[in-house]
Amino acid sequence: TPAGFTPAGFTPAGFTPASRLHSCLCTRRRPAKLLYNDLHSNSTLVADLATFAKDRARCRRALPWKQRFEYCLPASVDYGYRVHGNHDPAGELLPARLVVSAWYEPDYSREDGKHEPPTPLVGTLAMSGLAKGERYAILRYTSASAVPASGFLRAGGWAARTDFVAEGETHEQRLVFMSNSSQLFRCVVLSDSSPAH
């Protein structure tokens, strides 16, 4: 994913209907499950869909202080969002997914006042949907405001560019960056008319 976080820190990760097998969490005889992630657990959480939706009073009663990171959704009105991926009106981007070695990063911000020093994070950037023998460029940006909506190669603004020739349908690149930095990546096809590196 790239996946997103809501202000409450709740991110739906998947849904297993009652009639489908999914990671042994749900069978034809078991109820549907909701899989979700939050900002406090290093694993995907699972809830029975039938009991996850509650009216507001029951939802609050289900959340004593020591269980404050458990969740439920109001039964009468629910709001949600769907992440479609990066804005790509011209269809220029290839799928790119960053996986980091740790789920935790030091809290250096003023918000919580912990002042933990930033540390290096190790990540693997995985591109997919590639064609063997084609040339591609990985563009790394360090600010969301620097990422253009289209024409990525001509617009510039990246902090680094790495060109490669695909050896198969996927390509991986190891990265190291500081935990207090912003890292945004785009993978685009290179053509004979692409600007030089």
Side-chain angles (χ1 to χ4, degrees), residues 36-38 40-46 103:
Y36 61 99
N37 299 319
D38 66 9
H40 307 283
S41 302
N42 187 21
S43 61
T44 297
L45 305 172
V46 181
W103 72 279

Side-chain angles (χ1 to χ4, degrees), residues 34-177:
L34 177 72
L35 288 70
Y36 61 99
N37 299 319
D38 66 9
L39 295 173
H40 307 283
S41 302
N42 187 21
S43 61
T44 297
L45 305 172
V46 181
D48 287 327
L49 192 59
T51 59
F52 197 71
K54 300 176 178 72
D55 63 55
R56 189 174 299 276
R58 287 181 61 209
C59 190
R60 285 180 179 160
R61 283 199 300 269
L63 296 172
W65 175 249
K66 63 183 176 181
Q67 295 175 329
R68 63 194 181 280
F69 300 137
E70 293 183 10
Y71 300 91
C72 58
L73 294 173
S76 56
V77 178
D78 294 329
Y79 300 94
Y81 68 94
R82 179 177 176 184
V83 178
H84 290 276
N86 296 314
H87 183 64
D88 183 23
E92 301 171 78
L93 301 177
L94 281 295
R97 180 178 182 222
L98 178 63
V99 177
V100 292
S101 57
W103 72 279
Y104 173 80
E105 62 182 83
D107 188 349
Y108 74 95
S109 67
R110 290 179 295 203
E111 179 183 358
D112 296 329
K114 293 185 178 180
H115 309 295
E116 297 174 337
T119 60
L121 293 176
V122 177
T124 301
L125 184 65
M127 280 66 61
S128 59
L130 310 177
K132 184 176 180 178
E134 288 286 331
R135 296 185 304 131
Y136 298 90
I138 300 168
L139 308 175
R140 180 177 62 86
Y141 301 87
T142 55
S143 168
S145 62
V147 182
S150 63
F152 298 91
L153 288 169
R154 296 196 183 284
W158 60 78
R161 171 179 159 178
T162 304
D163 297 353
F164 69 95
V165 175
E167 296 180 1
E169 294 180 359
T170 61
H171 176 80
E172 291 187 351
Q173 180 178 330
R174 185 178 179 272
L175 306 162
V176 179
F177 51 89

